[in-house]
């Protein structure tokens, strides 16, 4: 029943009669006839409300399930496959097959359809969360309306308004907690609590408007590059650069006896053609680049190893040229053939691993050693000083800091012959087919020196090397002083562990003329990578990644000169036939370089020919390994992790980088999406906690409007005209004896109404 009202008549200022109503003052005798306790509503209605109350909470809690699934998919970086629609994780892209383009078109069509459908899923999650957020704002509002002086009018419909982002700019949101009448006492804690309600509402406004894009970011997979789990192999021990080539791992056509005797012509069948092909490519490239139709751009040649190819300077960084290692390339070739769907023996096709077939593109990665070289070539005169005990100083003129410098220096190497001769010196000959030159052979000498020094016409930097050369005997040469004297910084780059390759200039009067090249060798452990697609990498070209910058203080490797003989496929002190392309071209350009210098077409051609031969030798250098710690089985073990980080003896790893549709948190937007949905899940839990603590049951808007229409004004709005003043008036929300909602103004608090349940 509604509480009874009595009519009151009064005379206005102009003498007219004004009518108003007020509730009859309740006494102990009449109160029970109009209001009853909160639990006395009709049982059927009460059971219905309780059922809907808990159904609402269950529906809210279920929102966490798809959100938890999305978080798991993104945190685990779940891979969908070659298409966004990949049921069972099986959608073969056939990237290496004959129908790759047709298959890619079909997958692309599926991607568009699935991504469109997932947009609707994201929208559904957003609408679902709006239900949760609206219920939470309502529950919080009713919780505040049950206590103290009630809830301001400005907050009674907050649950219907907060979804609009413009609500954040509403003055009523931020002024309603303040007292609306001067002098009315108000506890500060009550005002603070209402402002907490306002801030939480503002946060939910922002959260509700961000939930749509946040769920979309997490629901939609993206096309990304994903690394497969890494496989550990063996641990690097040491390089074989300092010793002469031996063993049959790198040279299967050579016996141990041949290699021990320095008979490297056994490598000719495999590596002779590759060096000659490099020479032919360099000549073709330089001639086209300098032709009338050329633009001066050189095309670098390729060299094969097993099923792969590499080049010497496609991965050059600064002035150091890094060369892939053939031992690594052989191991990588097996991975490549497997990824292409063939056994290593190339006789039987297979589909080796679903991860390769279930990706749009696959890039194989394998860590391994690589040797880098800093080298320059010059033209000059050679001179020697033979000392006692097999010590020897060899000097070359024509050295400059850069090829464009006018100041020339003489570079001198410290050599020790005798019993150690084969450790730092090798030579062979190139047959010269030029009938106009009496010298039928061109000598090629390779040296390794642990120390080198410089001098010019005016300065020897205190080493005494000029006096030594003038005296030409041990008496005038202080071996230790010459190569220990400090040099200017610009001269120190190639003074420790230096290699020199010297080409004799053919001609009747040029017995001491040389075109010579110096080099220092460094070692690094880059990542070898190859794109397995025949369309994007039809030449099977291997690239090097993660190449380091060589520090100025880095100590070059000791390099045995015999590796240069193996690269040329020639025995020690033997002659290479002049019909070979590289021999023929070198015989042609060496005299031209000696006359014209390195800044010329012949200089460019000679530089490429020498660089290819040097790169061939560096690519052949083998290395030793040993087992990874613990067999390499547990990637997370401390021993394995320490070994992986070891810069001198790393554990080699291999893996594939695949182009697939996948989930992940690599971008900032995905991380923001995670933050938004986690806050959303917290709101779900908060609403459930409030429901357990207070038992607030949501009423419909119709019930609230009916209660407002039935409410009789009792003077609480007298004298208030401004909207912000009206919004500050407080009401408690209660139930009457029939379970219907009622508004009790702050003036009637304590009159017998019970809290709404």
């Amino acid at each position: 029943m509604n509480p009874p009202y009595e009519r009151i008549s009064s005379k206005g200022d102009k003498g007219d009669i004004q009518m108003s109503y007020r509730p009859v003052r309740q006494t102990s005798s009449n109160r029970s006839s109009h209001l009853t306790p909160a639990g006395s509503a009709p049982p059927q209605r009460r059971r219905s409300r309780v059922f809907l109350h808990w159904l609402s909470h269950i529906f809210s809690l279920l929102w966490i399930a798809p959100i938890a699934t999305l978080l798991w998919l993104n945190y685990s970086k779940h891979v969908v496959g070659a298409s966004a629609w990949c049921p069972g994780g099986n959608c073969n892209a056939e990237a290496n097959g004959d129908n790759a383009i047709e298959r890619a078109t079909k997958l692309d069509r599926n991607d568009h359809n699935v991504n469109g459908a997932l947009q609707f899923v994201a929208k559904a999650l957003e609408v679902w969360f709006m239900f949760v957020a609206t219920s939470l704002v309502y529950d919080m509002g009713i919780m505040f309306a049950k206590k103290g002086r009630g809830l301001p009018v400005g907050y009674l419909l907050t649950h219907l308004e907060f979804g609009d982002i413009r609500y954040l700019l509403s003055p009523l949101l931020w002024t309603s907690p303040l007292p609306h009448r001067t002098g009315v006492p108000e506890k500060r804690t009550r005002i603070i609590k209402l402002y907490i309600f306002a801030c939480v509402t503002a946060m939910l406004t922002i959260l509700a408007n961000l939930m749509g894009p946040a769920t979309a970011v997490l629901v939609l997979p993206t096309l990304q590059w994903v690394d497969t789990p890494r496989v550990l192999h063996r641990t690097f021990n040491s390089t074989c650069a300092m010793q002469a080539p031996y063993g049959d791992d790198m040279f299967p056509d050579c016996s141990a006896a041949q290699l021990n005797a320095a008979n490297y012509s056994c490598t000719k069948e495999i590596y002779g053609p590759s060096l000659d092909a490099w020479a032919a490519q360099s000549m073709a490239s330089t001639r086209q680049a300098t032709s009338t139709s050329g633009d001066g751009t050189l095309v670098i040649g390729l060299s094969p190893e097993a099923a792969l190819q590499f080049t010497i300077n496609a991965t050059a960084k600064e002035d150091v040229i890094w060369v892939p290692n053939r031992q690594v390339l052989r191991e990588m070739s097996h991975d490549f053939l497997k990824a292409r769907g063939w056994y290593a023996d190339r006789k039987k096709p297979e589909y080796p691993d679903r991860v390769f077939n279930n990706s749009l593109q696959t890039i194989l990665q394998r860590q391994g050693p690589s040797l880098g070289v800093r080298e320059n070539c010059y033209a000059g005169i050679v001179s020697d000083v033979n000392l006692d005990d097999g010590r020897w100083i060899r000097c070359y003129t024509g050295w400059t800091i850069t090829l464009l410098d006018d100041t020339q220096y003489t570079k001198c190497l410290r050599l020790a012959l005798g019993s150690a001769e084969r450790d730092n010196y090798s030579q062979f000959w190139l047959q010269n087919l030029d009938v106009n030159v009496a010298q039928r052979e061109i000598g090629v000498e390779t040296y390794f020196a642990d120390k080198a020094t410089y001098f010019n016409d005016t300065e020897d930097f205190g080493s005494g090397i000029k006096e030594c050369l003038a005296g030409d005997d041990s008496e005038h040469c202080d071996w230790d002083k010459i190569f220990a004297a400090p040099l200017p910084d610009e001269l120190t780059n190639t003074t420790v562990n230096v290699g020199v390759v010297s080409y004799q200039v053919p001609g009747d009067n040029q017995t001491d003329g040389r075109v010579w090249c110096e080099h220092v060798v460094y070692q690094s452990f880059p990542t070898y990578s190859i794109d397995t697609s025949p369309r994007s990498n039809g030449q099977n070209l291997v690239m090097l990644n993660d190449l380091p910058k060589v520090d100025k203080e880095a100590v070059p490797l000791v390099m045995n000169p015999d590796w240069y003989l193996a690269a040329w496929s020639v025995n020690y002190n033997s002659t290479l036939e002049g019909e070979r392309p590289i021999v023929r071209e070198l015989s042609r350009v060496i005299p031209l370089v000696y006359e014209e210098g390195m800044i010329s077409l012949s200089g460019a051609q000679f530089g490429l020919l020498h660089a290819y031969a040097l790169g061939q030798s560096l690519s052949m250098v083998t290395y030793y390994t040993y087992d990874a710690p613990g067999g390499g089985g547990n990637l997370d073990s401390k021993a394995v992790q320490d070994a992986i980080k070891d810069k001198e003896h790393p554990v080699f790893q291999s893996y594939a980088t695949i182009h697939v549709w996948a989930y992940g948190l690599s971008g900032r937007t995905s991380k923001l999406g995670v933050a938004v949905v986690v806050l959303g899940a917290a709101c779900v839990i908060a609403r459930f906690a409030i429901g357990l603590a207070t038992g607030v049951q949501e009423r419909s808007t119709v019930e609230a409007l009916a209660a407002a229409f039935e409410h009789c004004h009792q003077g609480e709005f007298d004298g208030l005209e401004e909207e912000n003043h009206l919004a500050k008036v407080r009401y408690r929300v209660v139930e009457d004896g029939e379970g219907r909602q009622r508004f009790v103004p702050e003036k009637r608090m304590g009159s017998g109404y019970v809290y709404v349940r």
Side-chain angles (χ1 to χ4, degrees), residues 96-357:
N96 300 327
D98 296 333
N99 300 321
I101 297 178
E102 179 182 352
R103 181 63 175 169
T105 302
K106 180 180 179 181
L107 294 178
D108 184 66
R109 185 167 55 250
N110 292 341
D111 297 339
H112 283 285
N113 293 333
V114 171
N115 284 332
L118 291 178
Q119 292 277 9
F120 286 98
V121 173
K123 187 62 181 178
L125 290 173
E126 178 190 7
V127 173
W128 194 347
F129 178 76
M130 281 300 300
F131 170 83
V132 175
T134 301
S135 300
L136 176 59
V137 174
Y138 178 86
D139 291 351
M140 290 177 59
I142 294 300
M143 182 178 67
F144 278 96
K146 289 170 53 178
K147 299 178 180 180
R149 297 174 60 188
L151 193 69
V153 171
Y155 288 164
L156 290 177
L157 298 179
T158 299
H159 63 289
L160 301 179
E161 299 176 303
F162 84 100
D164 188 345
I165 194 67
R166 294 174 297 177
Y167 185 61
L168 295 175
L169 304 178
S170 172
L172 302 184
L173 177 64
W174 307 109
T175 60
S176 295
L178 300 174
H180 67 285
R181 296 183 187 276
T182 305
V184 176
E186 182 70 49
K187 291 183 179 180
R188 182 176 297 178
T189 55
R190 180 64 180 173
I191 296 176
I192 292 175
K193 290 179 180 179
L194 289 175
Y195 269 115
I196 292 175
F197 174 77
C199 292
V200 172
T201 302
M203 184 269 292
L204 287 172
T205 299
I206 298 173
L207 202 60
N209 283 275
L210 290 178
M211 191 56 67
T215 52
V217 168
L218 298 180
V219 164
L220 296 172
T222 57
L223 196 58
Q224 55 186 282
W225 292 99
V226 176
D227 291 343
T228 61
R230 303 195 175 213
V231 177
L232 295 185
H233 298 283
R234 295 175 63 81
T235 302
F236 178 81
N237 186 10
S238 62
T239 180
C240 300
M242 66 181 62
Q243 62 193 50
Y246 79 100
D248 56 1
D249 291 337
M250 180 54 61
F251 312 108
D253 292 343
C254 299
S255 66
Q258 288 175 309
L259 295 176
N260 291 335
N263 294 330
Y264 302 116
S265 59
C266 58
T267 67
K268 180 180 178 180
E269 291 298 321
I270 297 179
Y271 295 117
S274 65
L275 186 58
D276 289 332
W278 254 342
Q281 291 174 13
S282 66
M283 291 301 102
S285 178
T286 54
R287 286 166 181 163
Q288 288 196 18
T290 56
S291 68
T292 55
S293 60
D295 59 0
T297 302
L298 294 177
V299 177
I300 305 303
L302 305 178
S303 181
E305 182 59 47
L308 310 179
Q309 294 196 91
F310 70 95
T311 187
I312 64 168
N313 66 343
T315 52
K317 191 172 184 179
E318 297 181 350
D319 60 342
V320 176
I321 297 174
W322 295 95
V323 182
N325 184 279
R326 292 183 183 272
Q327 186 174 340
V328 179
L329 294 176
R330 288 184 180 181
E331 296 171 352
M332 200 169 189
S333 179
H334 293 286
D335 302 337
F336 174 78
L337 293 174
K338 183 180 179 182
R340 278 282 183 92
W342 290 80
Y343 288 113
D345 60 9
R346 310 185 199 181
K347 292 182 180 179
K348 183 178 180 181
E350 66 168 349
Y351 295 97
D353 193 336
R354 193 179 70 176
V355 71
F356 297 145
N357 297 322

